[in-house]
Amino acid sequence: MKIIMTPNKSGTKISKYIYGHFAEHLGRCIYEGIWVGENSPIPNKNGIRTDVVDALKNICVPVLRWPGGCFADEYHWKDGIGPKEKRKKMVNTHWGGLTENNHFGTHEFFELVSQLGCEAYINGNVGSGTVQEMQEWVEYMTMNGESPMANLRKENHKVDPWKVAFFGVGNESWGCGGNMRPEYYADLYRRYQTYVRQYGKDKIYKIACGPNIDDYNWMEQVMNSAAPFMDGISLHHYALTGAWEDKGPALNFPEEQWWSLIASAQKMDELITKHSTIMDKYDPDKRIGLIVDEWGSWLSVEPGTNPGFLYQQNTIRDAMVAAVTLNIFHKHADRVHMANIAQTVNVLQAMLLTDGEQMVKTPTYHVFDLYKNHQDGELIDSYGDENDTISYTISKKEEKVTISICHFSLTASKELSFDGDNDLTLVDANYITAESMDAHNDFTHPETISIKPFKELSILNGTLNVIIPPMSVVSIVVE
Ligand code: AHR
């Protein structure tokens, strides 16, 4: 397979926010996975796990979405501030019916954001919250100087405001966020977003609740009524092996589910294309971002775990889903301004799994590691032979070109060659691969899949030749 790179055409910038993450109060994501409390024997800084923060910093997490998900539309932020022993408990009705102590609230979230060095994406409550509650949360977080909410924040020992880069007005308002019709939501969006005020110098990027999967009518109606009032509109699409009601297992799955999960992930391309076409009608200059703030594989929970906790193992198949989807986002980088994989720790297609003080990095984590050079890179156009088991991205940053390739054949290696205008010098090459289609890392074998140097390549007369093994993700840097 031969690919010609055309680096001299000016490319689209791949926003680093495409590499965003999502942490919801769901199962063991926030509690246990991130927050263990200051008095935990698990090493932590101000209550937040040190191992998790270190691992996430390594993949350069650019933005974190919180507190949900469905949880966002029943979260009342004032219950999560002030002295912890006085915080009201709440029942997480969506996810397992567990009683939460609200120890992880606004201050703790911004402590996490500060430890990660990333931006905050707060999702506000439209489903069961008032306009006043949303307005006051924004004022509490971002108002400098004198105001009732700024003063309350100071009473809670935070003098300076925080920065809220992104704010979502409701989540899945067509479903768990209120079961609304698009016409009704669009009007509510216009009203609620009015009070998401900009108090400081930093503009808040406002995100409307967009469609589920292929609900093109939702996109049409909300864009038609509310486009001038938004900076972004969300899209949710999870990769499934078959019907929603009958999710396949994460391990020991039949070969057909290797293909069906990857095909479901590939559907993202069609969804973005069709939703973008609708958006183009109302926003031809592509000012408004399509924000894919929930994506990833959704599989059956691990046997014996709480079905409401969405804890699933993560295999080389999930690595394929991640790489294929990131390649699709790159291709649509002119419209996709941010994406947030669901979810960061212990939930759905997680980066990290924890068990007590143990932590493992998943194959998906390693894809985010291999791909991190693409963050804020310039997309390089290319053309060449088609192949239905190869998906790739080429981008350029600081004179270095990163070529990332996902090969999801189960059996055969594939020869590829990349040709450009210039001579190429190898800088670095790494990959992950596996021997079986459900290879994964667990607490007894944490390194079954890990990043290794990639050696099956040569550069001859300006052409990069590679042999990509099956079930692998490769990232090569040249200059
Ligand atoms: O990510 C899990 C759930 O999936 C989210 O809470 C919700 O928004 C979506 O349905």
Side-chain angles (χ1 to χ4, degrees), residues 22 24-26 65 67-72 94-95 171-172 174 176-177 212 236 238 244 293-295 298 310 342-343 347-348:
F22 169 36
E24 180 169 12
H25 289 236
L26 196 177
R65 177 178 184 237
C70 296
F71 181 83
H94 274 293
W95 305 118
N171 167 73
E172 297 197 350
W174 37 262
C176 67
N212 190 29
H236 289 181
Y238 285 96
W244 171 255
D293 57 15
E294 290 188 30
W295 68 273
W298 193 321
L310 309 186
Q343 297 196 7
V347 169
L348 297 175

Side-chain angles (χ1 to χ4, degrees), residues 12-233:
T12 312
K13 185 174 166 194
I14 297 170
S15 169
K16 65 179 176 183
Y17 298 120
I18 283 175
Y19 286 78
H21 294 261
F22 169 36
E24 180 169 12
H25 289 236
L26 196 177
R28 298 186 302 112
C29 182
I30 293 289
Y31 294 102
E32 282 188 47
I34 291 172
W35 175 258
V36 288
E38 294 89 341
N39 300 323
S40 171
I42 296 174
N44 70 85
K45 183 174 168 201
N46 299 327
I48 296 169
R49 290 181 75 124
T50 312
D51 53 356
V52 166
V53 167
D54 287 347
L56 294 176
K57 277 171 79 170
N58 176 53
I59 54 170
C60 306
V61 168
V63 59
L64 185 63
R65 177 178 184 237
W66 174 83
C70 296
F71 181 83
D73 280 291
E74 51 181 4
Y75 182 60
H76 300 289
W77 68 272
K78 281 188 183 163
D79 298 342
I81 56 170
K84 293 202 177 64
E85 64 284 2
K86 290 200 181 143
R87 292 188 194 174
K88 197 166 132 186
K89 292 192 169 59
M90 75 166 291
V91 180
N92 191 337
T93 54
H94 274 293
W95 305 118
L98 236 71
T99 302
E100 294 197 8
N101 61 16
N102 262 315
H103 282 192
F104 191 90
T106 304
H107 291 250
E108 292 73 24
F109 172 67
F110 279 101
E111 170 65 20
L112 171 62
V113 158
S114 144
Q115 289 187 28
L116 292 174
C118 73
E119 299 289 1
Y121 173 6
I122 298 279
N123 211 119
N125 179 347
V126 172
S128 71
T130 62
V131 176
Q132 182 181 357
E133 183 181 9
M134 189 179 282
Q135 178 185 32
E136 287 184 340
W137 199 10
V138 174
E139 182 187 321
Y140 186 86
M141 292 184 286
T142 61
M143 171 79 194
N144 209 348
E146 279 282 311
S147 86
M149 290 303 112
N151 292 348
L152 180 60
R153 187 187 67 235
K154 288 173 201 162
E155 280 169 32
N156 290 326
H157 314 294
K158 180 72 172 92
V159 176
D160 294 330
W162 296 286
K163 179 180 167 201
V164 175
F166 301 94
F167 195 93
V169 178
N171 167 73
E172 297 197 350
S173 304
W174 37 262
C176 67
N179 289 306
M180 300 175 204
R181 293 172 302 111
E183 298 85 348
Y184 179 70
Y185 171 75
D187 281 344
L188 271 192
Y189 173 78
R190 290 170 62 123
R191 178 171 169 228
Y192 273 68
Q193 69 77 34
T194 307
Y195 302 94
V196 178
R197 303 276 191 211
Q198 184 181 325
Y199 293 102
K201 61 177 177 21
D202 297 318
K203 177 177 161 40
I204 299 179
Y205 184 107
K206 297 180 196 176
I207 300 169
C209 168
N212 190 29
I213 319 174
D214 56 358
D215 185 349
Y216 299 114
N217 180 51
W218 181 281
M219 179 60 90
E220 181 79 47
Q221 299 298 336
V222 176
M223 285 299 291
N224 185 22
S225 305
F229 302 95
M230 65 177 79
D231 301 300
I233 183 163

Side-chain angles (χ1 to χ4, degrees), residues 222-340:
V222 176
M223 285 299 291
N224 185 22
S225 305
F229 302 95
M230 65 177 79
D231 301 300
I233 183 163
S234 65
L235 167 67
H236 289 181
H237 168 57
Y238 285 96
L240 304 173
T241 57
W244 171 255
E245 300 73 29
D246 183 22
K247 298 188 188 69
L251 302 177
N252 295 315
F253 49 84
E255 187 179 318
E256 72 200 45
Q257 292 187 8
W258 170 272
W259 297 109
S260 61
L261 189 72
I262 293 171
S264 178
Q266 287 172 314
K267 192 174 162 66
M268 186 69 86
D269 194 13
E270 174 192 321
L271 295 174
I272 295 174
T273 303
K274 291 188 174 168
H275 283 301
S276 288
T277 305
I278 298 170
M279 292 175 76
D280 286 347
K281 263 170 58 183
Y282 303 96
D283 177 38
D285 297 335
K286 299 192 192 298
R287 177 189 66 82
I288 299 172
L290 185 59
I291 307 298
V292 191
D293 57 15
E294 290 188 30
W295 68 273
S297 45
W298 193 321
L299 302 162
S300 295
V301 299
E302 284 309 293
T305 63
N306 187 328
F309 282 14
L310 309 186
Y311 177 76
Q312 66 192 42
Q313 246 300 353
N314 193 298
T315 65
I316 190 73
R317 181 177 61 160
D318 297 282
M320 304 290 119
V321 166
V324 163
T325 309
L326 289 168
N327 290 337
I328 293 169
F329 291 154
H330 298 156
K331 179 176 146 193
H332 293 282
D334 57 344
R335 187 56 98 177
V336 179
H337 295 179
M338 174 162 64
N340 309 76

